[in-house]
Amino acid sequence: MPGTKEIRSKISSVKSTQKITKAMEMVAASKMRRAQDRMRMARPYAAKIRQVIGHLTQANPDYKHPFLVERETQNVGIIVVSSDRGLCGALNTNVFKSTLLLMREWQGKGAKVSLALFGNKSVAFFRRLGAPVLATAAGLGDKPTVKDLIGPVKIMLDAYRDGSLDRVFVVHAEFVNTMTQKPLINQLLPVEPVKDDELQEMWDYIYEPSAADILDGVLSRYVESQVYRGVVESVACEMAARMVAMKAASDNAGKLINELQLIYNKARQAAITKELAEIVGGAAAV
Amino acid sequence: MDDHTIHCDIVSAEGEIFSGPATMVFVPAEQGEIGIAPRHAPLLTLIKPGEVRVQTAGGEEQFFWVGGGALEIQPKRVTVLADTALRARDVDEAAALEAKRRAEEALAGQIDKIEQAEALAELARAAAQLKLLQKLRKIKG
């Protein structure tokens, strides 16, 4: 029976691949749930600090913090958040695509673009592009913490402070639902004013010790929390995308096995028929 | 909300810690502990690592440890934005330097090896697929 052995070994190799993709699918599903929880946990802080910033931009401090002041844009910083590992569909590609569009848009306006890269995939991709990279953070894992982000974010904040960046964006994947993730561009600096209708009259905080110190602390934390949100959301997206990709892979492997099984059966049948014909032919000859 | 309580939220970037009405809140502000009663004047300050005490409407007292952060007071609302990471100027600086060093390293060509390995794996995969296709064609044809 020529060929049947090869087909059989092919079937078993596809089967073992299917086992792996199924396992990856299930692992991604459970990790996604945990990542979504973390996303939810980060929400109250982001909402509260946004509220505080909203109050801040409506208050009238005698001191204007540079993070709140719009200035002419000559240098743009972009923080790109990607996953560390592949096998998650078009997730990273989509993020990179919208990053490239954003870069081109600002380059078209004559601005220079520098990058900060989060995640191995973005490091590998943007290294080829040759744009200046100010900071990277790779290998954040499935449970990123704010602590891991302070360093790279500080580089961007410092660059903004000393005037070598005039605008900072973050690009990350947004978790719409399990099936849909889309890239999201978010302006970090200057901080865009947030509206809060609750407080209308003219008023101001008491600042202890000084407005400058507090604003700096609060605004840095605000930016960090925004980046943290991006990173956590990216992890959830990565897991969801991987789950979907691995499900498709398992389904395809199943289809392939069915097809191979059919071919195998046909080949086997053909061999038997041939043998029978030979026996009958041999008997007739005698 | 009545005038005898103030809404208190304690949140950190990695989770909500407390949310609810309180009659009095004590926070370790940078310039000493402050007690916040309802209808406090708007105040914004940084806090240092220490204990936040919340006296709830039921009269019991709850304690929370915070590693620093920021405090916002509105007449009807107290918000404690707690840090999860221990913050210090030197530590932050070191983390920033580390991130920069990594960027330089990544750009200096260390990735080359990984990229090469990835390309080889891709090649092996493509070759295997090609083989299978050829085999299938032989059998079908």
Side-chain angles (χ1 to χ4, degrees), chain A residues 135-167:
Chain A
T136 64
L140 294 172
D142 303 333
K143 294 181 212 100
T145 57
V146 179
K147 208 174 140 209
D148 302 328
L149 307 176
I150 291 172
V153 172
K154 187 178 158 59
I155 289 180
M156 299 307 262
L157 292 179
D158 285 348
Y160 186 88
R161 264 188 211 112
D162 68 28
S164 55
L165 290 178
D166 305 310
R167 207 173 271 274

Coordinates of all heavy atoms in Angstrom, one line a residue, chain A residues 135-167:
Chain A
A135 N 13.0 54.6 24.9 CA 13.0 53.6 26.0 C 12.2 52.3 25.5 O 11.4 52.4 24.6 CB 12.2 54.2 27.1
T136 N 12.6 51.2 26.1 CA 11.8 50.0 25.8 C 11.5 49.3 27.1 O 12.2 49.4 28.1 CB 12.6 49.0 24.9 OG1 13.7 48.6 25.7 CG2 13.0 49.6 23.6
A137 N 10.4 48.5 27.1 CA 10.1 47.7 28.3 C 9.6 46.4 27.7 O 8.5 46.4 27.1 CB 9.1 48.3 29.2
A138 N 10.4 45.3 27.7 CA 9.9 44.1 27.2 C 9.8 43.0 28.2 O 10.4 43.2 29.3 CB 10.9 43.6 26.1
G139 N 9.1 42.0 28.0 CA 8.9 40.9 28.9 C 8.1 41.3 30.2 O 8.5 41.0 31.3
L140 N 7.1 42.1 29.9 CA 6.3 42.5 31.1 C 5.4 41.4 31.6 O 4.9 41.4 32.7 CB 5.3 43.7 30.7 CG 6.0 45.0 30.3 CD1 5.1 46.0 29.8 CD2 6.7 45.6 31.5
G141 N 5.2 40.4 30.7 CA 4.4 39.2 31.2 C 2.9 39.5 31.2 O 2.5 40.4 30.7
D142 N 2.2 38.5 31.8 CA 0.8 38.6 31.8 C 0.2 39.5 32.9 O -0.9 39.9 32.9 CB 0.2 37.2 31.9 CG 0.7 36.2 30.9 OD1 1.0 36.7 29.8 OD2 0.7 35.0 31.1
K143 N 1.1 39.7 33.9 CA 0.6 40.5 35.0 C 1.5 41.8 35.1 O 2.3 41.8 36.0 CB 0.7 39.7 36.3 CG -0.3 38.6 36.3 CD -0.2 37.9 37.7 CE -0.5 36.4 37.5 NZ 0.7 35.5 37.5
P144 N 1.3 42.7 34.2 CA 2.2 43.9 34.3 C 1.8 44.7 35.6 O 0.7 44.7 36.0 CB 1.8 44.7 33.1 CG 0.5 44.2 32.7 CD 0.4 42.8 33.1
T145 N 2.8 45.3 36.2 CA 2.5 46.2 37.3 C 3.0 47.6 37.0 O 3.8 47.8 36.1 CB 3.3 45.7 38.6 OG1 4.7 45.7 38.2 CG2 2.9 44.3 39.0
V146 N 2.4 48.5 37.7 CA 2.7 50.0 37.5 C 4.2 50.2 37.7 O 4.8 51.0 37.0 CB 1.9 50.8 38.5 CG1 2.3 52.3 38.3 CG2 0.5 50.6 38.3
K147 N 4.8 49.4 38.6 CA 6.2 49.5 38.9 C 7.1 49.3 37.6 O 8.1 50.0 37.5 CB 6.6 48.5 40.0 CG 7.7 48.9 40.8 CD 7.9 47.9 41.9 CE 9.4 47.7 42.1 NZ 9.7 46.3 42.6
D148 N 6.7 48.4 36.8 CA 7.5 48.1 35.6 C 7.4 49.3 34.6 O 8.3 49.4 33.7 CB 6.9 46.9 34.9 CG 6.9 45.6 35.8 OD1 7.8 45.6 36.6 OD2 6.0 44.8 35.6
L149 N 6.4 50.1 34.7 CA 6.2 51.1 33.7 C 6.8 52.5 34.1 O 7.0 53.4 33.3 CB 4.7 51.3 33.5 CG 4.0 50.0 33.1 CD1 2.5 50.3 33.0 CD2 4.5 49.4 31.9
I150 N 7.1 52.7 35.4 CA 7.5 54.0 35.9 C 8.7 54.5 35.1 O 8.8 55.6 34.6 CB 7.8 53.9 37.4 CG1 6.5 53.7 38.1 CG2 8.5 55.2 37.8 CD1 6.7 53.5 39.6
G151 N 9.7 53.6 34.9 CA 11.0 54.0 34.3 C 10.8 54.5 32.9 O 11.1 55.7 32.6
P152 N 10.3 53.7 32.0 CA 10.1 54.1 30.6 C 9.2 55.3 30.5 O 9.4 56.2 29.7 CB 9.5 52.9 29.9 CG 9.4 51.8 30.8 CD 10.0 52.2 32.1
V153 N 8.1 55.4 31.3 CA 7.2 56.6 31.2 C 7.9 57.8 31.7 O 7.8 58.9 31.1 CB 5.9 56.3 32.1 CG1 5.1 57.6 32.2 CG2 5.1 55.2 31.5
K154 N 8.8 57.7 32.7 CA 9.5 58.8 33.2 C 10.4 59.4 32.1 O 10.6 60.6 32.1 CB 10.4 58.4 34.4 CG 11.0 59.6 35.1 CD 11.8 59.1 36.4 CE 12.8 60.0 36.8 NZ 12.4 61.4 37.1
I155 N 11.0 58.6 31.3 CA 11.8 59.1 30.2 C 11.0 60.0 29.3 O 11.5 61.1 29.0 CB 12.4 57.9 29.4 CG1 13.5 57.2 30.3 CG2 13.0 58.4 28.1 CD1 14.2 56.0 29.6
M156 N 9.8 59.6 29.0 CA 9.0 60.4 28.1 C 8.6 61.7 28.8 O 8.6 62.7 28.2 CB 7.7 59.6 27.7 CG 8.0 58.3 26.9 SD 9.0 58.6 25.5 CE 7.8 58.7 24.2
L157 N 8.2 61.6 30.1 CA 7.8 62.7 30.9 C 9.0 63.7 31.0 O 8.8 64.9 30.8 CB 7.4 62.4 32.3 CG 6.1 61.5 32.4 CD1 5.8 61.2 33.8 CD2 4.9 62.3 31.8
D158 N 10.2 63.2 31.2 CA 11.3 64.1 31.4 C 11.6 64.8 30.0 O 12.0 65.9 30.0 CB 12.6 63.3 31.8 CG 12.5 62.9 33.3 OD1 11.6 63.5 34.0 OD2 13.3 62.1 33.8
A159 N 11.5 64.0 28.9 CA 11.7 64.6 27.6 C 10.7 65.7 27.3 O 11.1 66.7 26.7 CB 11.6 63.5 26.5
Y160 N 9.5 65.5 27.8 CA 8.5 66.5 27.6 C 8.8 67.7 28.4 O 8.7 68.9 28.0 CB 7.1 66.0 28.0 CG 6.0 66.9 27.7 CD1 5.4 66.9 26.5 CD2 5.5 67.8 28.7 CE1 4.3 67.8 26.2 CE2 4.5 68.7 28.4 CZ 3.9 68.7 27.1 OH 2.9 69.5 26.8
R161 N 9.3 67.5 29.7 CA 9.6 68.6 30.6 C 10.7 69.4 30.0 O 10.7 70.7 30.0 CB 10.0 68.0 31.9 CG 8.9 68.0 32.9 CD 9.5 67.6 34.3 NE 8.4 66.9 35.0 CZ 8.5 65.6 35.3 NH1 9.5 64.9 35.0 NH2 7.5 65.0 35.9
D162 N 11.8 68.8 29.5 CA 12.9 69.6 29.0 C 12.7 70.0 27.6 O 13.7 70.6 27.0 CB 14.3 68.8 29.3 CG 14.4 67.6 28.4 OD1 13.8 67.6 27.3 OD2 15.1 66.7 28.8
G163 N 11.6 69.8 27.0 CA 11.3 70.4 25.7 C 11.7 69.6 24.5 O 11.5 70.0 23.4
S164 N 12.3 68.4 24.7 CA 12.6 67.6 23.6 C 11.5 66.8 23.0 O 11.6 66.2 21.9 CB 13.8 66.7 23.9 OG 13.6 65.9 25.0
L165 N 10.3 66.8 23.7 CA 9.1 66.3 23.1 C 8.0 67.4 23.4 O 8.0 68.0 24.4 CB 8.7 65.0 23.7 CG 9.5 63.7 23.4 CD1 8.9 62.6 24.2 CD2 9.5 63.4 22.0
D166 N 7.1 67.6 22.4 CA 6.1 68.6 22.6 C 4.7 67.9 22.7 O 3.7 68.6 22.9 CB 6.1 69.5 21.4 CG 7.4 70.2 21.2 OD1 7.9 70.7 22.2 OD2 8.0 70.1 20.1
R167 N 4.6 66.6 22.4 CA 3.4 65.9 22.4 C 3.7 64.5 22.6 O 4.6 63.9 22.0 CB 2.7 66.2 21.1 CG 1.2 66.1 21.1 CD 0.6 66.5 19.7 NE 0.4 68.0 19.6 CZ -0.7 68.6 20.0 NH1 -1.7 67.9 20.5 NH2 -0.9 69.9 19.9

